[in-house]
């Protein structure tokens, strides 16, 4: 068997996105949530082949472009990573819109996109920047204490921004690139402690993203973060869904009003501009950033290749 898969790669604030344009699995005509389940159940090796080594790396987020259910939407998308699937992905949506623009399939204006956790819209600006109007975001719990091996009690908030986050103010070391190993170890232990203590998001969903906050370095930024993703890679971008979760917490604490701008810096120094719209008490975050297309390729899947479907450990 030999198969070709057409992809476009980009990065958003340093975080890579690989959009699969053609050659992906047929997931049927259901909603994106239904198609995600078909993907997970029947085509998981395709996920691994696209993002894992030897073609990808732990940091790559894949985006399978799908026919939308609603003809008024520009696209449907299912995001995936080195270990599984994402509900939404902010940096990935910015990358997807930049990719559609690169292909001549999007012009400045509003682009509607269907995701497994709901519809989002994105505005492609003349400058090439993209503002994503994310799914409704909220804080589920404030000041939760969890006992973390080697660190004692760690206090954080649980919030939804399209994925589940545990948000912690402060860290045992500075949020600096040179401390990546320590930050990864600390956040991984927090994740394990949440699991061990059955601390979850709504409906028992796993909290699979851990987000630390500290003082910013970039001029004009309000905060710097470190985000550990589900497969133990850190987010090079400020994380669109993580910034959305942060905005929901700030609003719940009375620290962010509708329209006020929050600039979130990442561990590599890239910045997203966040703000919220509030309607009937519900918070809809908006995340602005830019992506750069850096490759267009045809991946070759050849069954004679022992690592055709990726190295999965
Ligand atoms: O930008 O939402 C995001 C994201 C999630 C995981 C990696 N990036």
């Amino acid at each position: 068997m030999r198969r070709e898969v057409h992809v476009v790669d980009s990065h958003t604030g340093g975080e890579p996105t690989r959009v699969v344009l053609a050659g992906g699995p047929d997931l049927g005509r259901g909603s994106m949530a239904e198609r995600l389940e078909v993907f997970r159940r029947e085509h998981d090796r395709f996920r691994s082949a696209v993002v894992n080594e030897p073609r990808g790396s732990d940091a790559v987020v894949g985006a399978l472009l799908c026919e939308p259910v609603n003809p008024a939407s520009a696209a449907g998308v299912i995001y995936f990573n080195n270990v599984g699937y994402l509900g939404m992905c902010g940096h990935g949506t910015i990358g997807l819109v930049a990719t559609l623009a690169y292909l001549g399939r999007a012009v400045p204006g509003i682009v509607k996109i269907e995701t497994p956790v709901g519809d989002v819209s994105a505005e492609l600006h003349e400058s090439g920047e993209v503002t994503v109007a994310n799914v409704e975001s909220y804080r589920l719990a404030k000041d939760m204490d969890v006992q973390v091996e080697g660190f004692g009690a760690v206090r954080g908030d649980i919030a939804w921004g399209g994925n589940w986050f545990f948000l912690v103010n402060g860290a045992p070391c500075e949020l600096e690139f040179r401390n990546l190993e320590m930050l990864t170890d600390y956040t991984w232990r927090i994740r394990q402690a949440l699991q061990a203590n059955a601390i979850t998001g709504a409906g028992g969903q796993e909290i699979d993203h851990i987000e630390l906050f500290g003082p910013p370095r970039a001029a004009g930024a309000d905060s710097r973060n470190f985000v550990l993703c589900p497969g133990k890679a850190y987010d090079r971008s400020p994380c669109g869904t993580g910034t959305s979760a942060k905005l929901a917490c700030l609003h719940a604490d009375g620290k962010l009003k509708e329209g006020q701008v929050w600039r979130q810096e990442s561990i590599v120094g890239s910045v997203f501009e966040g703000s919220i719209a509030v309607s009937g008490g519900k918070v809809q975050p908006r995340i602005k950033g830019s992506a750069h297309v850096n490759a267009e390729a045809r991946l070759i899947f050849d069954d004679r290749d022992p690592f055709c479907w990726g190295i999965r450990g």
Side-chain angles (χ1 to χ4, degrees), residues 15 61 86 88-92 163 209 229 235 237 239-242 272:
E15 180 75 352
V61 170
L86 291 164
M88 223 311 268
C89 183
H91 94 267
N163 296 298
H209 291 74
C229 296
D235 196 333
S237 85
C239 192
T241 51
F272 283 166

Side-chain angles (χ1 to χ4, degrees), residues 287-307:
I287 306 294
K288 187 176 182 184
S290 49
H292 299 271
V293 169
N294 51 16
E296 179 170 4
R298 286 181 202 282
L299 309 181
I300 295 166
F301 288 17
D302 183 338
D303 261 339
R304 291 170 302 180
D305 172 357
F307 295 112

Side-chain angles (χ1 to χ4, degrees), residues 3 20 22-28 38-39 42-44 46-47 64-66:
R3 165 174 171 185
V20 176
D26 179 1
L27 305 177
V38 177
F39 198 169
E42 295 172 18
H43 303 282
D44 194 58
F46 181 86
R47 171 193 62 74
L64 179 67
L65 197 64
C66 300

Side-chain angles (χ1 to χ4, degrees), residues 145-157:
D145 284 330
V146 59
Q147 288 296 326
V148 178
E149 199 195 329
F151 293 95
V154 174
R155 178 166 291 185
D157 290 358

Side-chain angles (χ1 to χ4, degrees), residues 57 63 77 85 103 124 126 131 135 151 157 165 267 283:
S57 80
V77 64
Y85 301 83
L103 294 167
L124 173 62
E126 294 284 352
T131 299
V135 293
F151 293 95
D157 290 358
F165 288 82
I267 188 76
V283 173

